[in-house]
Amino acid sequence: MKSFFLFIGITLCLQPVWAQKTKQPVHRDVPFVQEHSVKYYADETAGYRLVHTDRNGVVKVLSGAGLRAPHAGAFLYPGTLREDISYRPTADKKVAGLTLYQGQFVYLDDKAVFSNAWAGNLYTKHTLPDARLLAGGKDFNFLIANKSKLQYLENNAVAWEQNLPNEPILDLKADATTGTFWVLTGQSVYSFSGKEKKLQKVHSGTNFTCFEFFGGRLVLGTSGGYLELDAKTGKPQGTLNQKLPWPELTTLAVLDNQLWFGSTRGAFKRRSDGKFDYYASERWLPSDRVVHISGGPDGSVLILTDKGLGKLVFEKMTLHDKAVFFDKQVRSRHIRHGFNGTLGRMKNGDLATGSLRDSDNDGLWTTMYLGGEIFRYAATKDPEALQNCRESLEAMERLYTINGVPGFPSRSFERRGYKDDDKPWRRADDPEWDWKSTTSSDEAIGHVFAFGAMAELIDDKDLKARSVALLDTLMSHIVKNDMYLVDWDGKPTLWGRWHPDYVNGFPTNVGDRKLNSSNIVAMLQTAYHFTKKEKYKQKAFELMKQHGYFENLMRPMKLIGRAPADADEHAKKMSDGWNHSDDEMYYMGYWGLYRYAFNDTLKTQFKKAILDHWEFERPEKDGLWNILTAITGVSNFDLNEAVWYLQEYPLDLIEWGMQNSHRRDIEQLEPNFYKQTTKEILPPDELPVIRHNRTRFTIDQNGRGGTSELSAGDIWLLPYWAGRYLGVISAPVNR
């Protein structure tokens, strides 16, 4: 190790030319399909049964109390289901059944099958009490049913009927190409020929719930999975498929040649690769108990639940379009005094009930948003991005001036009397304001990342000077106070500690030893790069050479684990599992660790550390980790997975409760140190909305209930604009 540092000392003078940057892949930003949901909540418990859309794009919902229609409703602003009074003569009838025939609504009431299409000429009387099901075959012939009896209507008359006294009838289907009708009960599937007036049982079993035609087969849903039957013979094709997001099926639908499933725990679509896209929680649906699925207007999918209607909208957009959408989300709802904040205290996801709240990590979340806006300006020279940078920098500056402690950054500040808690708050000299103390290393590394990026990439002289001044102020405080953040009481904060006694007090395999070493070297390098003050370089080399910080930060990730049995309780507590906020801190530090390395020899070594960490993190497919790894110039940094993350991240960033642990289509793992819960990561739109400081293998999130909306500023805009600045994501391609 000594000989290595002797070589470093030589290279400080020689400064060899860095190798030519490896050519990196670039994602062409062409339109992709982005999903979101518009929800319509019910103000009644009327027993919702069916939803259909006619050729004019009109949507009608059938409930136990009659027809309903969606009212108002937009993305993030739910509508309601109201009584359909659009045509009074229909509203006055006791409509108990609804279907589509040739793209038109056909109704069933206590007297007839009828429609308002075809000039109202369709009106075929029946004699079936409590009729509630109907299906249309060839030439305006219809099969109808109540719970136990079938009637066939042909040429405006009842042409056939039959009882099924021991098997409650669940559903009817018609094959318009052959004229064959199909009947489902809980134990049987029947075919009915209108020509021969003959009902024939084709399959028997138990626990049938729904059925649909798909690809020449009859898909039969049950309370425990689904089975495929030959549509001609009724013979099973394979065994019962139970590897589903949830096997208790309630409805099936074929839309755009894709098979959709409704269940008692959400809806899902079978993809061409055999896996499923899963739609559950109030991100997508008013309730997870699905009762019917059908095609909606403009290619949407309507999912009717027991508590209302969810309309899935599939919109083509580029990543840049998505960035524009998220920029509006941040600027309109998430800016507090220039901070990038959370909209909290919401009731049931209603944005109008929310208010901005402070956070222990206001400085960190803001520097991550600020970093994204710095990259945005560097890539586009957009004056709006520059103004956003200016406003957030003002908030960051006040963190240092409001507390009266030289060089010490507050966690946050707020007007007196409007704080979320009391414990870490202190009174400012200004009687109108309070500031939050106990600042942590999470905040410090975020500050250094943003100040360094601004000093390097923003061409505004004033902003450059102010960012360098803040950087120097913070790092001077840390160096002066023996590598600690020292609070108002003259004591180090709990987490703002980089002194060797603290860092090397951890066993070598405890992550904080590696993390704190990596972070402080990055911070000192950044400070030296922009101030050229020798104290920062000297301190960095002192820590690396005399106190083993270089060895600490280069330690392979595979060696990080739980503290040994003889370690102290603090070390054991800090290593009871992988802390994913550490990943965020590492990567915020990697910008300065690699980009501002003292020399190319160190840069080569630091690159190895970054790539070792990236290999460790690859299963999470985190877009930020992958894109920031590109700073090293490597050709493989999982760009496709980063784009997948950016494309699949939901537009709805409300913290809804989310459940996936019940799913039978995913392979779950035993509890482990890394906290990886599934063999493969689920798409972001099927997971809880989480920041980069939590594992993306978090598959369940309870008790949220739409109480807050997170900002896209740090979650999404930072990785996107980093990709744009680094040139691995293109500007939007002309459509």
Side-chain angles (χ1 to χ4, degrees):
M1 192 60 65
K2 288 183 179 179
S3 61
F4 176 77
F5 276 103
L6 176 62
F7 180 61
I8 288 179
I10 295 172
T11 56
L12 282 174
C13 300
L14 297 179
Q15 289 292 320
V17 178
W18 177 242
Q20 184 178 1
K21 184 179 178 181
T22 305
K23 186 176 181 180
Q24 294 180 303
V26 179
H27 169 71
R28 294 181 68 250
D29 188 17
V30 297
F32 64 95
V33 176
Q34 176 69 58
E35 301 165 278
H36 66 266
S37 174
V38 179
K39 290 164 287 188
Y40 301 87
Y41 287 91
D43 56 3
E44 58 185 356
T45 55
Y48 293 99
R49 292 174 47 208
L50 298 167
V51 59
H52 285 295
T53 306
D54 72 0
R55 62 181 298 273
N56 302 311
V58 177
V59 177
K60 292 188 186 293
V61 174
L62 179 64
S63 76
L67 294 173
R68 299 291 183 265
H71 172 72
F75 177 52
L76 298 179
Y77 297 90
T80 58
L81 292 179
R82 294 187 176 182
E83 183 181 2
D84 179 17
I85 59 172
S86 58
Y87 185 56
R88 289 176 57 194
T90 303
D92 290 343
K93 292 181 178 294
K94 298 178 181 179
V95 175
L98 174 68
T99 192
L100 282 183
Y101 191 79
Q102 297 180 6
Q104 305 283 4
F105 290 124
V106 175
Y107 308 97
L108 173 68
D109 69 2
D110 57 340
K111 296 182 177 63
V113 171
F114 67 97
S115 177
N116 297 321
W118 306 290
N121 283 313
L122 174 59
Y123 191 86
T124 302
K125 293 183 178 181
H126 66 81
T127 59
L128 190 62
D130 301 320
R132 59 192 303 272
L133 299 171
L134 76 159
K138 284 187 173 182
D139 303 322
F140 290 88
N141 299 326
F142 292 88
L143 185 67
I144 66 173
N146 58 21
K147 288 185 178 181
S148 60
K149 189 174 184 179
L150 297 161
Q151 271 193 1
Y152 179 57
L153 309 180
E154 183 179 54
N155 298 326
N156 294 321
V158 177
W160 171 90
E161 63 181 21
Q162 183 170 327
N163 283 310
L164 292 174
N166 299 319
E167 298 185 64
I169 300 168
L170 301 178
D171 202 2
L172 306 175
K173 301 289 182 185
D175 186 342
T177 59
T178 64
T180 302
F181 291 89
W182 296 81
V183 181
L184 177 70
T185 73
Q187 297 81 38
S188 304
V189 179
Y190 295 88
S191 66
F192 172 73
S193 170
K195 182 178 181 180
E196 299 176 1
K197 309 297 189 293
K198 182 180 180 181
L199 185 70
Q200 182 177 357
K201 183 181 291 189
V202 297
H203 185 75
S204 297
T206 57
N207 301 319
F208 299 156
T209 57
C210 51
F211 67 159
E212 186 58 271
F213 292 100
F214 182 64
R217 295 186 177 186
L218 189 65
V219 182
L220 183 58
T222 76
S223 58
Y226 74 93
L227 183 67
E228 296 188 37
L229 311 177
D230 185 284
K232 294 182 180 180
T233 65
K235 292 183 178 179
Q237 306 294 297
T239 59
L240 187 70
N241 188 334
Q242 296 180 305
K243 291 185 176 181
L244 309 174
W246 188 243
E248 189 176 1
L249 302 179
T250 56
T251 187
L252 296 164
V254 176
L255 306 173
D256 195 22
N257 202 35
Q258 292 180 305
L259 185 60
W260 286 76
F261 302 78
S263 77
T264 56
R265 299 195 72 164
F268 38 96
K269 174 182 65 177
R270 190 172 70 185
R271 304 198 311 245
S272 58
D273 61 3
K275 297 180 180 180
F276 296 90
D277 291 331
Y278 185 42
Y279 304 90
S281 86
E282 287 189 80
R283 176 183 297 160
W284 302 108
L285 308 173
S287 162
D288 283 349
R289 183 169 288 274
V290 177
V291 296
H292 191 232
I293 300 174
S294 65
D298 303 319
S300 63
V301 173
L302 302 179
I303 301 178
L304 185 64
T305 76
D306 63 337
K307 294 183 180 179
L309 176 67
K311 181 172 76 170
L312 303 185
V313 178
F314 304 86
E315 177 184 359
K316 284 196 172 183
M317 61 169 50
T318 63
L319 289 176
H320 183 263
D321 292 332
K322 195 168 182 176
V324 171
F325 172 86
F326 277 143
D327 179 67
K328 292 179 180 178
Q329 185 246 22
V330 175
R331 301 309 302 181
S332 64
R333 296 196 294 276
H334 291 275
I335 299 299
R336 184 183 69 86
H337 305 314
F339 291 126
N340 172 47
T342 295
L343 189 69
R345 306 179 189 87
M346 290 163 49
K347 297 179 180 178
N348 302 320
D350 184 349
L351 297 174
T353 65
S355 59
L356 286 163
R357 69 187 190 203
D358 62 78
S359 162
D360 280 356
N361 293 114
D362 273 341
L364 175 59
W365 306 142
T366 302
T367 53
M368 294 178 75
Y369 167 64
L370 178 55
E373 292 303 289
I374 292 167
F375 294 142
R376 175 185 171 189
Y377 178 74
T380 66
K381 301 302 179 184
D382 187 339
E384 183 178 283
L386 186 64
Q387 180 60 25
N388 294 343
C389 290
R390 184 173 289 110
E391 292 178 11
S392 287
L393 186 64
E394 289 173 353
M396 299 304 299
E397 285 175 322
R398 197 173 186 207
L399 289 175
Y400 289 81
T401 60
I402 197 171
N403 59 48
V405 182
F408 181 80
S410 310
R411 283 186 180 272
S412 185
F413 55 79
E414 187 52 279
R415 296 183 188 276
R416 190 161 298 172
Y418 290 91
K419 306 180 297 295
D420 276 346
D421 54 67
D422 293 322
K423 292 181 181 178
W425 288 93
R426 307 297 302 172
R427 294 290 177 91
D429 290 340
D430 185 334
E432 292 294 321
W433 294 90
D434 291 332
W435 62 276
K436 185 177 282 191
S437 60
T438 69
T439 306
S440 72
S441 54
D442 307 55
E443 306 296 293
I445 192 62
H447 290 211
V448 171
F449 158 69
F451 299 155
M454 177 169 282
E456 178 186 359
L457 302 178
I458 297 295
D459 54 12
D460 182 288
K461 291 183 179 180
D462 174 62
L463 292 181
K464 276 181 176 290
R466 289 159 63 187
S467 61
V468 173
L470 287 170
L471 176 62
D472 191 27
T473 295
L474 171 61
M475 296 310 298
S476 289
H477 172 97
I478 293 172
V479 172
K480 178 183 177 182
N481 287 288
D482 208 12
M483 309 313 294
Y484 291 106
L485 275 179
V486 175
D487 214 332
W488 61 274
D489 56 1
K491 299 177 182 179
T493 65
L494 180 60
W495 303 115
R497 300 168 180 242
W498 300 274
H499 190 279
D501 289 350
Y502 178 79
V503 173
N504 291 334
F506 290 106
T508 56
N509 71 326
V510 172
D512 282 63
R513 183 164 177 159
K514 174 180 170 71
L515 171 66
N516 285 27
S517 298
S518 178
N519 274 186
I520 194 60
V521 170
M523 292 160 69
L524 291 165
Q525 283 188 154
T526 304
Y528 174 76
H529 184 85
F530 292 104
T531 69
K532 301 305 179 186
K533 292 184 177 180
E534 286 296 321
K535 65 179 180 180
Y536 299 129
K537 181 192 289 186
Q538 291 172 3
K539 179 57 69 174
F541 275 97
E542 174 192 325
L543 294 173
M544 286 193 286
K545 293 173 65 176
Q546 298 179 25
H547 298 286
Y549 279 33
F550 178 80
E551 183 180 356
N552 288 344
L553 72 88
M554 293 299 299
R555 186 165 291 113
M557 282 290 176
K558 66 181 180 181
L559 301 181
I560 303 301
R562 292 184 172 88
D566 59 351
D568 61 37
E569 290 305 312
H570 181 60
K572 290 179 180 178
K573 180 180 179 180
M574 295 296 290
S575 62
D576 62 346
W578 186 255
N579 185 342
H580 289 262
S581 66
D582 292 357
D583 296 321
E584 185 171 66
M585 294 172 66
Y586 276 117
Y587 269 93
M588 291 300 92
Y590 286 160
W591 183 263
L593 187 70
Y594 180 80
R595 201 168 179 94
Y596 311 133
F598 289 123
N599 57 69
D600 287 345
T601 303
L602 276 175
K603 180 175 279 191
T604 300
Q605 295 300 312
F606 295 158
K607 178 178 178 178
K608 292 178 182 178
I610 294 170
L611 295 181
D612 173 70
H613 186 188
W614 174 71
E615 287 285 353
F616 186 74
E617 289 296 328
R618 291 180 76 179
E620 282 202 68
K621 300 183 181 180
D622 188 292
L624 183 57
W625 309 159
N626 288 342
I627 287 172
L628 287 183
T629 298
I631 66 174
T632 64
V634 292
S635 58
N636 180 20
F637 50 91
D638 286 351
L639 176 60
N640 289 339
E641 305 294 8
V643 171
W644 173 82
Y645 168 95
L646 292 171
Q647 291 181 343
E648 290 288 325
Y649 218 93
L651 294 178
D652 182 349
L653 300 188
I654 294 174
E655 290 192 286
W656 298 109
M658 190 71 62
Q659 298 290 321
N660 283 287
S661 57
H662 61 276
R663 293 175 61 169
R664 301 185 183 182
D665 63 321
I666 58 178
E667 184 176 343
Q668 298 189 49
L669 305 180
E670 293 296 322
N672 53 73
F673 176 77
Y674 183 61
K675 300 179 182 178
Q676 181 173 345
T677 56
T678 55
K679 185 176 181 180
E680 295 182 0
I681 196 75
L682 291 172
D685 61 0
E686 297 178 14
L687 294 171
V689 175
I690 56 175
R691 289 187 150 110
H692 297 285
N693 64 336
R694 292 177 60 196
T695 174
R696 296 196 56 249
F697 283 102
T698 301
I699 61 174
D700 292 345
Q701 182 165 273
N702 299 318
R704 299 291 178 171
T707 57
S708 60
E709 181 190 52
L710 298 186
S711 168
D714 51 286
I715 294 172
W716 198 95
L717 289 173
L718 174 56
Y720 169 73
W721 284 115
R724 285 289 304 276
Y725 166 71
L726 294 171
V728 297
I729 297 175
S730 78
V733 175
N734 192 324
R735 303 185 192 183

